[in-house]
Amino acid sequence: MSNYIVFLTLSAATYAIFGLGLNLQWGYTGLVNFGHVAFMTVGAYTTVLLSLQGVPLWIAAPIGGTLAAFLGLLIGLTTLRLREDYLGIVTIGVSELVRITIQSDKFTPITGGVGGIQRYELPLNFAPAVPSYLTKLGFIGLFAAVMGLASWRLWVWGRKNMNKMWQAALGIVSFFIIYICGAISLYNYDDRAGLMLLTVTTLAIIYVGLERLINSPWGRVLKAIREDEEVPKALGKNVFWYKLQALMLGGGIAGIAGAFYAWQITSLYPSNFEPLLTFNAWTIVSLGGAGNNVGVILGAVVFWAYDTVTRLDWIKSLPFSSDQVGAFRIMIIGLILMVIMLWRPQGLLGNKDELTLGK
Amino acid sequence: MTDLLRAENLCKSFGSIKAVNQASITVPAGSITGLIGPNGAGKTTFFNLLSNFIVPDQGQVMFNGQPIQQLPPHRIARLGMVRTFQVAKALSRLSVLENMLLGAQDQIGEKMWQAWMPQVAKDQKQLKEKAMTILTDIGMDHKAADFAGGLSGGQRKLLEMGRALMSDPKLILLDEPAAGVNPRLIDDICGHIQRWRKDGMSFLVIEHNMDVIMSLCDRVWVLAEGSNLVDGPPAKVQNDPQVLEAYLGS
C-alpha cells in the first residue's frame, strides 16, 4: 500500500512540475506549446549526461533546467513574432527534432542513442549503506513540514470559501494519508522514498514561487497578453519580451521536471520522450483548469490515480486481453477529456464565470 | 501652441489598395483634435500608422519633438502617446481594477526579478488608490472587483479611457469613443474628455457622431480615400462643400 502511494505521489509530483511549466505558458500567457516534452528531454539528458561526467546532481539538474530555458529562448526568438497557432506547429516539430537527434547514430556515443543510458547516479541514494536514524528523522520532519504547509494553505483557502470547505477537507485528508505512507517509506528507507521527498519539496518551492510571480504585476502582464496582446502593447509593455520570459521560465521548469523524470525511470531511452508526454501535460492542465496552479497539481494527482488504479490486478478479471485494456485506458482518458470539455470546460478547479465572458 | 504630434505624408498600401495616401495631421499641445471622414476613408489605419501598430510605407511622425516612426508601439506608449481601439478591448478575465492597474507605467514588479521584492506591495497600494480615484471619476468604482468581460459596450469604452489615463499620457488617441454608446453616456464621456484636457492632456479623436466632434474639437481634419481633404475649425468644416460631397457622394 505505502509503496503504491509513494509511486503515485512521485509520478504525480513530477508531472505536476511538468504541467506547471505548461500552465505558465498556456494557462497564463496563452502560448500554444505542443512540444512541451522537448524541454523535459533537454533537462533529463543534460542532467544525466553531466552526472555521468561526475558533476554533482544538485548542480547538474539546475544546468538541465537552464539549458531547457535556453531552448525556449531559441524557439521564442524565431517564432514568437508569428501568430500563436504557428508556435504550436513549430513546437511539435522541435520536440520531435530533439528526440530524433538524441537517438540518431551520430550522437549515439554521447547519448546512448536507441540503446539509451541504463546506469546513472540517483539522488539521496545511500545504497548499499543505510542512512542514519537522524537523517531519516530529518527527512520525515521535512516531509511533515511540506505536507503540513500544504494542508494549512488548503485550510486557509477552505475558510475563505466556505462552500468549498469539503473539498479542502478532502485535500487535507489525502495529504495526511500521503504523509503517513511517505513517512513509513522514509523510515524503511529506499531511494524511491528519498526521491519522492525531493520531488514533492521541489514541487512545493516551484508552486510557491510561481504563485508569487503570477500575482505580481509581472503576472498581470502575462494574463493581459493571454486576453488580448494588443492592449498591453498599447499600454507600453514589451509583449515579445514577456512572452519570451514565459516560454523560457516554463521551459526551465519542464527541464527540472525532466531531471526528476530521469531519476524516476532510472534508465533513459529516447522512446521515453514521445509526444504522448506533451499530450499528458495538456490533459493534466485542462483537467485541473488552465490558469490555475492548484488545479494543475490536482489534475496530475487525478491523472496518476487513474493510471495506477487501471494497472491494478482487478483489471485482469475483465474479459479483455491486455492489449485491449491498454488501448481502453487511453481511450477513456480521451473520453474523460471530451466530457470535461462539454460539461466543465473550465476544468475541475477553474472558474466557470471566467469562461462564459466574451472577449 | 507647439505641436505635440505631427505626422507628414504617411502612406500605407495593402496590395494595390492605397489605404492611406500622403496623409498628414498635427495635434497642438493641449488641444482636442478631431479626425473625421466617411467609412473606409482610412481613419483607423491612419491611427495604426501613428502608433506604429502598422508600419507605414513612408512618411514621418514626430511626437513631442522626437521622431517616433522607427519605434515599436510599446516605446511610443511609454513616451506618452496612448491609443484606444475602435472596438473597445476589455481584458475579459481580469477584473476592472486589474485592467486599470495594467495601464500604469514603470511599475516595480513588472520585471520578473523584481516581482518578489517587498516594495511591490506598497507600490501597488498607491496605484490602486490612483485607479480607484479615476474609476470613481468615471462612475465605475462599484464595478472595480467585477470581471471586465461583464461590462457593457459603453462601460468598456470608459474603462479603456481610464486605463489609458493610468499611464499619465500626454496624448490619447481615441478611436470612436461614442460609437455604440447611449446618448446619456456620450455626454458623460465628452464631459470627462473636456475635464482631462483642462488637466493638461491632449486628444486626437476619430468620431462619426458630429455632435461630439462639434462640441469637443478645436480643429477637425477630414480624411477621404486615404488623403487629407480639408482641415479647419469644426463649424467651417461642417459646411465645406468638398466634405459634404465626400460624405454624400456626387
Side-chain angles (χ1 to χ4, degrees), chain A residues 209 212-213 216-218 220-221 223-224 226-228 230-239 241-242 245-246 249 351 353-355 357-359, chain B residues 53 73-74 77-78 82-83 85 89 91-94 98 101-105 107-113 115-116 120 124 147 149-150 156 163:
Chain A
R212 187 85 191 240
L213 266 179
S216 74
W218 184 81
R220 187 163 59 222
V221 178
K223 289 181 229 170
R226 173 190 70 193
E227 296 300 307
D228 190 334
E230 303 275 276
V231 174
K233 204 193 276 180
L235 293 170
K237 320 296 177 200
N238 188 348
V239 168
W241 175 225
Y242 278 97
Q245 289 178 37
L249 183 60
N351 183 349
D353 295 341
E354 286 191 12
L355 265 195
L357 296 168
K359 268 272 171 185
Chain B
F53 270 65
H74 69 271
R78 279 186 213 164
V82 177
R83 63 166 301 177
F85 297 89
K89 291 178 186 282
L91 304 167
S92 299
R93 290 189 282 167
L94 298 187
E98 283 177 304
L101 290 173
L102 186 73
Q105 301 297 304
Q107 300 182 45
I108 306 171
E110 275 201 339
K111 294 192 173 75
M112 197 202 281
W113 45 94
W116 283 281
V120 173
Q124 290 299 304
F147 282 123
R156 285 172 192 228
R163 201 166 57 191

Side-chain angles (χ1 to χ4, degrees), chain B residues 118-162:
Chain B
Q119 298 100 297
V120 173
K122 205 176 132 208
D123 186 50
Q124 290 299 304
K125 195 163 164 265
Q126 283 173 356
L127 288 174
K128 272 179 195 161
E129 280 165 18
K130 181 178 170 190
M132 285 313 291
T133 312
I134 296 176
L135 281 176
T136 312
D137 195 29
I138 57 179
M140 295 210 354
D141 47 327
H142 61 292
K143 291 273 183 192
D146 296 1
F147 282 123
L151 297 179
S152 73
Q155 288 168 330
R156 285 172 192 228
K157 293 267 180 198
L158 274 174
L159 174 62
E160 263 209 332
M161 283 179 229

Side-chain angles (χ1 to χ4, degrees), chain A residues 301-320:
Chain A
V301 172
V302 171
F303 181 87
W304 277 99
Y306 168 82
D307 189 274
T308 314
V309 165
T310 51
R311 278 179 205 278
L312 295 180
D313 283 342
W314 66 271
I315 216 97
K316 289 191 188 122
S317 62
L318 296 178
F320 300 114

